[in-house]
Amino acid sequence: MVFPKENKSGGTKKSITENKKLAVFLGELVGTFLLIFFGDGTVADVAVAPRLAPEAYNWLLITFGWGIGVAIAVYVAGGVSGAHINPAVTLAFATNGDTPWNLVPYYIIGQFLGAFLGAGAVYTIYYDGLVPKIVR
């Protein structure tokens, strides 16, 4: 993770990557959102879609969906925050001295909020298929 040390424009405005706390928070939020959105979205799709074509939806689709979700999350957040996308990874890096402890709360809050928003998006998209009509 590389952050510019000086503002090249000469002004007082800072870009997102110059504000380490904001960059870490947004990078982890977006990365974790994408991970959960693609991963849980694939699982929800497999749970709902077998009514249409049962033989095409199985564990192999779920593994590919989670793999693509991890890859996209790492590609998007890797250059901004290091793409920890997991509080356990953040704590391991901080314990090892690779991540400053003062940034750990920003990592973890971004990860939790991103995961919550990703799960909420999947729930909203697949609501009709996941919630039985009797409950509504």
Side-chain angles (χ1 to χ4, degrees):
M1 163 172 57
V2 177
F3 295 101
K5 295 189 180 196
E6 60 186 54
N7 190 343
K8 294 180 183 176
S9 66
T12 57
K13 292 183 180 179
K14 290 185 175 182
S15 69
I16 289 177
T17 56
E18 290 177 18
N19 186 342
K20 292 181 184 180
K21 293 174 183 175
L22 182 61
V24 162
F25 173 76
L26 290 177
E28 292 299 311
L29 185 138
V30 172
T32 308
F33 171 84
L34 291 170
L35 170 70
I36 298 301
F37 182 74
F38 282 102
D40 283 354
T42 303
V43 173
D45 189 45
V46 169
V48 172
R51 294 176 232 161
L52 305 174
E55 63 281 348
Y57 295 91
N58 56 27
W59 64 270
L60 190 60
L61 181 64
I62 293 173
T63 58
F64 277 113
W66 275 103
I68 300 250
V70 169
I72 290 172
V74 169
Y75 288 144
V76 168
V80 178
S81 67
H84 296 185
I85 60 176
N86 185 333
V89 174
T90 301
L91 291 175
F93 277 138
T95 302
N96 195 35
D98 296 329
T99 298
W101 280 101
N102 66 332
L103 293 179
V104 169
Y106 297 97
Y107 273 98
I108 292 178
I109 291 169
Q111 292 159 355
F112 272 93
L113 188 56
F116 183 79
L117 293 173
V122 170
Y123 182 77
T124 302
I125 291 168
Y126 287 97
Y127 180 80
D128 289 335
L130 294 174
V131 178
K133 301 222 187 267
I134 297 169
V135 176
R136 293 187 248 158

